[in-house]
Amino acid sequence: MRLSLIVNGMEHELDVRPTARLIDVLRLDLGLTGVKEGCSEGECGACTVIVDDKAVNSCLVLAGQMRGKKVLTVEGLADDDGLDTLQRMFIEHGAVQCGFCTPGMLMSAKALLLADPHPSEEAIRLALAGNLCRCTGYATIVAAVRAASEQPAEAAPPPPATGRDGKAV
Amino acid sequence: MPRAELLTPSGLGELTAALQRTTSSSRLLAGGTDLVRSMRHDHWEPDLLIDLSGLRELVYVRLEGDRLRVGALTTFAELQTDPLVRRHARCLAEAAARVGSAQIRNVATVGGNIANASPCADGVTALVALGADVRTIDGGGRSTVRPLEQVLVGSGRTSLAPDEAITEVSFAALGSDRRTTFVKIGSRATVTVARLSMALIVKYDGVSGTVSEVRVALGAVGETAFRDARLEELLEGRAAHEESAHLFADGCTDAVRRAIPGRSSLPYKQRAAVGLAYDAWNALGLCDRCQPAWG
Ligand SMILES: Cc1cc2nc3c(=O)[nH]c(=O)nc-3n(C[C@H](O)[C@H](O)[C@H](O)COP(=O)(O)OP(=O)(O)OC[C@H]3O[C@@H](n4cnc5c(N)ncnc54)[C@H](O)[C@@H]3O)c2cc1C
Ligand code: FES
Ligand code: FES
C-alpha cells in the first residue's frame, strides 16, 4: 500500500505492507536505526519516537496510522547547529552507558520538555517510567533531563562537536 | 498468508461502509497497544483492519445535562488531564493516569480498553463503578446503547458483533457531594498491569459525616470488572471513621472470595484486597488515615 509519511521534517512516499509497524518502516525502509527494538511489546521504550509532539512506542502502532502526522526520531533531534540540549546534557551527566536505551530516553524526555519545559523531578520520572535502562540506574538520566530543563531556552548552542566542558562529543 | 487490508475511514459514513465489509477475522484498530502487540506476538493477521485513528470526531469529552459523554477514540492521556473528567468522574481520571506508561497513554483509547475486555483493564473498572453505557454503530449505520456490563461477556470476550464499533461511553456526571477514587496493585509501582484494582464512589454528607449510595467495582479478579451489592450495602449510611474502614476491608476480602472461590490466586488477592481497601478509603479523605490492624 502507498503511504506518505513525514519523518524528521522530510516527506517520504513509500510502498509498505498494510500491517507494517512504524518501527519496521523507520528502521528498514528509511534506515533510521537510531530507533531501537527491545521488547516489541511496549514494555521497554527503546523504540520511542515523537508523533505530533507526543512520545509513542513505534513497535505498537502501524505505519499506516501515521498519515498526516509528523514523526520525529532521534536522528531528527540534532540540527545544523549541533546536538540538542538534551543530547549534550546526557553526555555531560554520563547518562549514556551501553546506549541502547538512549534514543528512546531522549525522545521521551524531549516530548516531556515540549509539553512542560520545567518539569518537577516527579514529572521527569513519570515521563521516563516507560523507558527501561539496564545500565545507569536512572539517576544520571534524570539529572541530565533536569539540567536540560534548566538551560535558558534561547541560549545559543555551543559550537558543533564540542561539549560544554570542551570535550569532543 | 493472504495480505491484510487496511481501511482508513475519516468519518462515520466511511466507517459504516468499512464495517459492512467485516468478517469474524476482521479487526478494528484504535491505539494499537493491544492489537498490534498481539498480531506480532501471536503471528497472525486479520483479513481486514479498520483504522479508527482518523475519526477525530470520536475524540471528545462533553457534559450534556447531567451526563458526561466520552468519545471512544479519546486517549487515556486526554482523560487523565481533562477538566470535566477530573471534576465529574475523578476515578476515571485516576485510572487513566495509572494505565501503562506515557507512551501507552498517548495512544491507548477508552474504546480499545473496553473492546479488548481484559479483566485488568483499568478504564473498565472505573467505568463499571460509574455505571457507564456504551454506544455503538454497526455496518447498517444503526446506533444503539447498552450497559457496559452487557458488552463485557468474559475475559477477552465481548458481545460486540464483528461489524460493530464503539463510538461513545457515557455515564451520570458525579456531583460535588460525591467522593471517588481508583486504586490498583500490580507487580511494580508504575507501568504495571493490575493484579487487583478498585474504583470507589460514595456520596458524602458532611453534616452527618456519613456515606451512602456506595458503588464499588473490583477489577483483575474474575472474568470482568464487577460491582458487588453486598459489599456496597455494608458501607451504606456508615459514619466516615476508622471502624467503617475496617468493615470495608473485611467486605472486600469477602467479595474477592465470592468472585474467585478456590482459585490459586485467592490468598494473594484477598490480602491485596485489604491493602487496596484502605488505600481507597484513605484516598477519599473523609477521616484521619486508617491502617489495617497488621499494617
Ligand atoms: C506495555 C503495556 C502496558 C499496558 N498497561 C495497561 C494498564 O496499566 N491498564 C490497562 O487498562 N491497560 C493496559 N494496557 C493495555 C492497553 O493499552 C489498553 O487496553 C488500551 O486501552 C487499548 O486501547 P487501544 O486503543 O490501544 O486498542 P487497540 O489495541 O487498537 O484495540 C484493542 C481491541 O479493541 C478493539 N477495538 C478498539 N477500538 C474499538 C472500538 N472503538 N470499537 C470496537 N472495538 C474496538 C480492537 O479490535 C482490538 O480487538 C497496556 C498495554 C501495554 C502494551
Ligand atoms: S521495543 Fe517498543 S517498547 Fe520495547
Ligand atoms: S545505557 Fe545501557 S540500557 Fe541504558
Side-chain angles (χ1 to χ4, degrees):
Chain A
M1 116 187 170
R2 297 297 294 169
L3 175 68
S4 110
L5 204 62
I6 301 170
V7 182
N8 299 334
M10 297 231 310
E11 193 160 346
H12 301 270
E13 284 285 335
L14 300 162
D15 194 25
V16 304
R17 276 186 311 115
T19 52
R21 301 168 306 161
L22 178 59
I23 191 170
D24 302 326
V25 170
L26 293 174
R27 285 181 56 90
L28 304 176
D29 295 87
L30 298 178
L32 297 170
T33 51
V35 185
K36 298 299 174 203
E37 181 153 18
C39 64
S40 316
E41 22 194 68
E43 299 282 349
C44 76
C47 66
T48 304
V49 299
I50 295 181
V51 176
D52 285 353
D53 288 352
K54 295 194 178 97
V56 166
N57 294 316
S58 61
C59 71
L60 291 183
V61 290
L62 298 189
Q65 296 184 280
M66 295 296 114
R67 284 159 291 120
K69 302 198 157 132
K70 293 198 183 71
V71 181
L72 184 71
T73 73
V74 73
E75 287 87 349
L77 264 192
D79 58 23
D80 294 343
D81 295 329
L83 294 178
D84 187 87
T85 310
L86 265 171
Q87 291 171 304
R88 289 190 285 113
M89 292 304 123
F90 266 58
I91 296 164
E92 267 192 23
H93 287 80
V96 184
Q97 288 187 26
C98 82
F100 191 81
C101 72
T102 310
M105 287 285 182
L106 283 167
M107 300 320 280
S108 284
K110 183 73 185 175
L112 169 68
L113 296 186
L114 285 172
D116 178 3
H118 302 289
S120 64
E121 169 118 4
E122 154 114 356
I124 296 174
R125 288 190 180 273
L126 269 178
L128 300 181
N131 293 76
L132 302 183
C133 175
R134 302 166 59 124
C135 305
T136 64
Y138 303 101
T140 52
I141 295 176
V142 173
V145 178
R146 184 165 355 87
S149 74
E150 285 162 0
Q151 296 286 309
E154 307 304 329
T162 310
R164 277 210 331 176
D165 54 3
K167 284 191 205 126
V169 292
Chain B
M1 186 163 32
R3 280 187 141 199
E5 193 182 340
L6 180 69
L7 299 180
T8 56
S10 57
L12 281 179
E14 285 179 28
L15 172 62
T16 48
L19 288 171
Q20 282 164 18
R21 295 185 45 197
T22 54
T23 71
S24 58
S25 328
S26 308
R27 290 291 181 281
L28 305 181
L29 174 65
T33 56
D34 283 315
L35 186 58
V36 174
R37 175 164 72 164
S38 96
M39 280 164 48
R40 165 113 188 152
H41 199 260
D42 306 329
H43 304 284
W44 68 280
E45 285 193 359
D47 58 357
L48 183 70
L49 269 171
I50 303 179
D51 175 23
L52 306 175
S53 64
L55 292 163
R56 302 315 296 165
E57 66 206 88
L58 295 185
V59 181
Y60 59 84
V61 177
R62 281 200 288 265
L63 186 62
E64 277 177 25
D66 68 345
R67 275 191 97 65
L68 205 61
R69 302 186 177 280
V70 179
L73 271 286
T74 310
T75 64
F76 285 114
E78 286 153 349
L79 288 177
Q80 177 185 354
T81 52
D82 186 274
L84 287 173
V85 177
R86 292 174 70 88
R87 180 155 181 195
H88 296 292
R90 196 169 179 93
C91 57
L92 181 57
E94 290 180 1
R98 298 294 306 276
V99 171
S101 59
Q103 294 96 311
I104 299 285
R105 291 189 295 276
N106 280 338
V107 294
T109 65
V110 65
N113 202 238
I114 295 170
N116 194 55
S118 160
C120 316
D122 295 326
V124 169
T125 304
L127 289 168
V128 165
L130 288 162
D133 285 333
V134 174
R135 180 178 287 280
T136 64
I137 194 167
D138 69 10
R142 278 174 298 270
S143 177
T144 48
V145 178
R146 58 189 188 275
L148 174 57
E149 276 94 337
Q150 284 177 23
V151 175
L152 303 168
V153 179
S155 174
R157 287 179 299 127
T158 68
S159 63
L160 296 168
D163 74 337
E164 196 176 12
I166 300 173
T167 52
E168 181 183 89
V169 37
S170 70
F171 46 84
L174 301 178
S176 55
D177 57 351
R178 306 290 150 146
R179 300 289 178 92
T180 167
T181 191
F182 170 89
V183 288
K184 82 173 180 181
I185 293 181
S187 52
R188 45 185 176 147
T190 52
V191 198
T192 189
V193 172
R195 285 181 164 174
L196 192 64
S197 65
M198 181 195 299
L200 173 61
I201 303 169
V202 304
K203 182 173 176 182
Y204 178 62
D205 181 340
V207 178
S208 64
T210 56
V211 299
S212 60
E213 296 180 39
V214 179
R215 285 187 263 160
V216 191
L218 291 171
V221 45
E223 295 267 303
T224 71
F226 65 94
R227 285 173 62 183
D228 184 291
R230 271 204 261 174
L231 173 59
E232 294 181 347
E233 277 157 26
L234 254 189
L235 280 184
E236 202 56 42
R238 296 273 170 187
H241 60 54
E242 196 163 357
E243 249 165 63
S244 307
H246 300 323
L247 198 69
F248 182 50
D250 286 346
C252 285
T253 55
D254 290 344
V256 167
R257 195 183 50 246
R258 284 195 290 276
I260 49 167
R263 197 80 64 79
S264 62
S265 60
L266 179 61
Y268 167 80
K269 298 228 174 183
Q270 279 192 301
R271 208 173 158 78
V274 175
L276 211 57
Y278 284 97
D279 283 353
W281 178 265
N282 288 325
L284 297 182
L286 303 177
C287 62
D288 291 343
R289 240 193 116 65
C290 307
Q291 273 183 357
W294 43 263

